[in-house]
Amino acid sequence: MRIAILTALAEDPDHKGRKRAFRIFAGRSILSHQLDCAIDLGCESVVCLVGGLGQDVIACQHRAEAAGVRFQAIEDLRRLSGLVKADDDIFVIADGLLPAAEEAVRLLNERSGVLTLPVDPALGFGFERIDGQCAWAGMLRTRGQSVERLSDLPPDAAAASALLRIALQAGTRQTALDPALLLNGDWLLRADSPTLLEREKRWIAGRVSPVSFAAPGLATAERIGARLGRDIVGTRLERVPLFAAVGAGVLAALLATIGKPLVALALGTAMAVLLPIAGVIQRLGRAPRNRTRRFGVDAALRAGADLLLVALIALTMPVEGSAWLRLFVPTILFGLLRLGEQLALDSEPRGSFASWRALYADRILLLALVLPAAFFGLAQLLCAVLSLLVLGSLFFRDEEERGLTVD
């Protein structure tokens, strides 16, 4: 079994009375991000040494349980020996460390090791010296038998440092980290607030990757979601944008049934704005093992929103003519847009066509055009014209790809 040992005991020197592990990063505590790293490493159980059960610890427990991981908070170092077996794999993360999770997983996932950094400049960043040349980078992997020796130590001994010494005495190999991670602020232990804020911006940008402004509506909404996520991820407000989007959609459907199609379409536009904002916030807040599982929910929400928008647009069209024709035109438009998204995804990274994918997905821009047209009774004509434009762009893709395959 893989077990992670975390610690939340060290005081934050910048904020008296607060633990270093409970500093907020991207809406959640550093301890919560350490938990994510442990989950990425395949840990089935997490043991955290704490001074008491507070809200941050309880939030970590709920997050672990949502990912199918057992979380135990203990106050006595001696309890560790009863929770770990000799043949377990132990991952230790230093108190308050904010690592680059991808690099940690790459270096520790396959075999045991003690991650190290050069003494200069690591000591200046608060890392613990190992010898004359190396400092401990704050993470290691060792065998569970090392934990048995902790029972000989006093209850207030530093578990992480003790396990480091035991691992080194047992001959655990040392693995050097790239010092650039430290110098670039991607591997932090005792960071000041400006440094932590810069790391937070880079982390969010890497996690969200907002689309380009070739799709202005979607790009703006995703950047709003990224900024809002810094404030509400990990709080009770985290799901408010999602609930607001669903609520706007339900209200739009109700208004459409009582003969208010234009007002309903306006609410559908609000739903289209809120959905990408909520999607970004949900991506920032998901536990590692839930990230792929929730993509099915995201796809279902998008599909449901598109079906609703097709119906709302059809209801704003003139009553004259066949009812099926009113539904047919927006259905063709949305079908071509979805086909364009999929074809552009399949073509990546070949050709400039791949960069059009976000434009096909930009429902905000689409509704910004359709809503005024619907007000003047021109929604059917506009949808027909847009369908021809999208269809023409798909033929352009075929020409481009044929050109790329010519010898």
Side-chain angles (χ1 to χ4, degrees):
M1 179 184 290
R2 291 189 171 189
I3 301 175
I5 297 178
L6 313 180
T7 311
L9 296 172
E11 296 289 335
D12 182 358
D14 297 330
H15 296 83
K16 188 173 291 187
R18 186 178 70 177
K19 304 299 183 184
R20 189 193 305 161
F22 298 148
R23 294 184 70 181
I24 299 301
F25 176 81
R28 296 186 284 117
S29 68
I30 288 177
L31 183 66
S32 178
H33 287 276
Q34 289 183 346
L35 171 64
D36 282 3
C37 185
I39 295 171
D40 284 333
L41 283 164
C43 293
E44 304 161 75
S45 178
V46 174
V47 180
C48 184
L49 283 158
V50 297
L53 284 179
Q55 288 299 321
D56 291 295
V57 178
I58 294 173
C60 286
Q61 182 176 0
H62 292 162
R63 188 173 183 82
E65 291 171 352
V69 174
R70 185 182 184 189
F71 185 94
Q72 293 175 281
I74 62 173
E75 298 184 20
D76 192 338
L77 179 65
R78 291 170 295 190
R79 282 196 60 197
L80 269 177
S81 59
L83 300 174
V84 178
K85 297 178 181 178
D87 58 347
D88 288 335
D89 273 326
I90 305 301
F91 295 84
V92 179
I93 305 179
D95 200 331
L97 178 72
L98 188 61
E102 297 83 1
E103 186 68 8
V105 171
R106 185 182 71 83
L107 294 173
L108 294 178
N109 195 42
E110 295 299 326
R111 51 182 178 173
S112 298
V114 175
L115 300 188
T116 64
L117 287 162
V119 166
D120 184 20
L123 293 185
F125 286 88
F127 290 90
E128 181 179 348
R129 180 192 292 270
I130 293 176
D131 53 36
Q133 295 181 325
C134 296
W136 183 38
M139 288 191 69
L140 64 88
R141 175 182 175 181
T142 187
R143 302 299 296 170
Q145 58 193 15
S146 300
V147 175
E148 297 175 359
R149 297 175 58 183
L150 293 179
S151 58
D152 300 329
L153 301 177
D156 58 349
S161 295
L163 286 169
L164 168 65
R165 303 301 166 189
I166 294 169
L168 291 173
Q169 290 169 13
T172 304
R173 71 186 184 94
Q174 297 182 23
T175 303
L177 275 179
D178 184 351
L181 289 170
L182 183 61
L183 298 175
N184 295 338
D186 293 323
W187 197 279
L188 301 175
L189 182 62
R190 297 177 184 174
D192 55 22
S193 295
T195 303
L196 199 62
L197 181 60
E198 284 301 314
R199 168 75 190 285
E200 180 181 274
K201 290 177 181 177
R202 291 196 304 275
W203 184 85
I204 290 176
R207 188 79 173 270
V208 174
S209 300
V211 300
S212 74
F213 278 98
L218 187 58
T220 301
E222 288 194 343
R223 282 161 176 79
I224 291 173
R227 178 60 189 88
L228 191 61
R230 289 165 53 188
D231 298 325
I232 68 174
V233 167
T235 71
R236 294 179 180 178
L237 301 177
E238 182 178 321
R239 293 176 179 250
V240 168
L242 179 61
F243 292 153
V246 174
V250 171
L251 186 56
L254 290 174
L255 287 172
T257 60
I258 62 173
K260 302 288 184 181
L262 277 175
V263 180
L265 187 58
L267 277 170
T269 304
M271 175 192 67
V273 173
L274 288 166
L275 273 178
I277 293 175
V280 168
I281 293 170
Q282 293 300 303
R283 289 203 298 275
L284 290 175
R286 284 176 193 153
R289 291 181 186 171
N290 286 343
R291 289 172 191 159
T292 54
R293 190 187 311 165
R294 290 293 299 277
F295 286 157
V297 177
D298 294 343
L301 283 173
R302 281 201 63 211
D306 278 358
L307 289 174
L308 176 61
L309 291 174
V310 166
L312 295 178
I313 293 171
L315 288 173
T316 63
M317 294 178 180
V319 178
E320 294 82 5
S322 302
W324 71 266
L325 187 60
R326 296 168 62 193
L327 191 61
F328 177 78
V329 176
T331 300
I332 289 296
L333 173 58
F334 276 77
L336 288 171
L337 287 172
R338 280 190 162 268
L339 178 61
E341 277 187 73
Q342 187 58 49
L343 292 176
L345 180 63
D346 293 341
S347 71
E348 290 178 357
R350 298 172 291 155
S352 60
F353 180 83
S355 64
W356 292 21
R357 180 172 180 256
L359 187 57
Y360 290 123
D362 194 345
R363 300 294 184 264
I364 301 171
L365 177 61
L366 174 66
L367 290 169
L369 298 174
V370 171
L371 187 58
F375 181 78
F376 292 105
L378 301 173
Q380 193 172 53
L381 176 62
L382 178 64
C383 287
V385 171
L386 290 176
S387 297
L388 286 174
L389 290 174
V390 176
L391 183 61
S393 72
L394 298 181
F395 279 108
F396 171 74
R397 167 192 180 267
D398 290 339
E399 291 295 333
E400 182 184 68
E401 292 200 344
R402 278 198 293 269
L404 288 172
T405 57
V406 172
D407 292 332

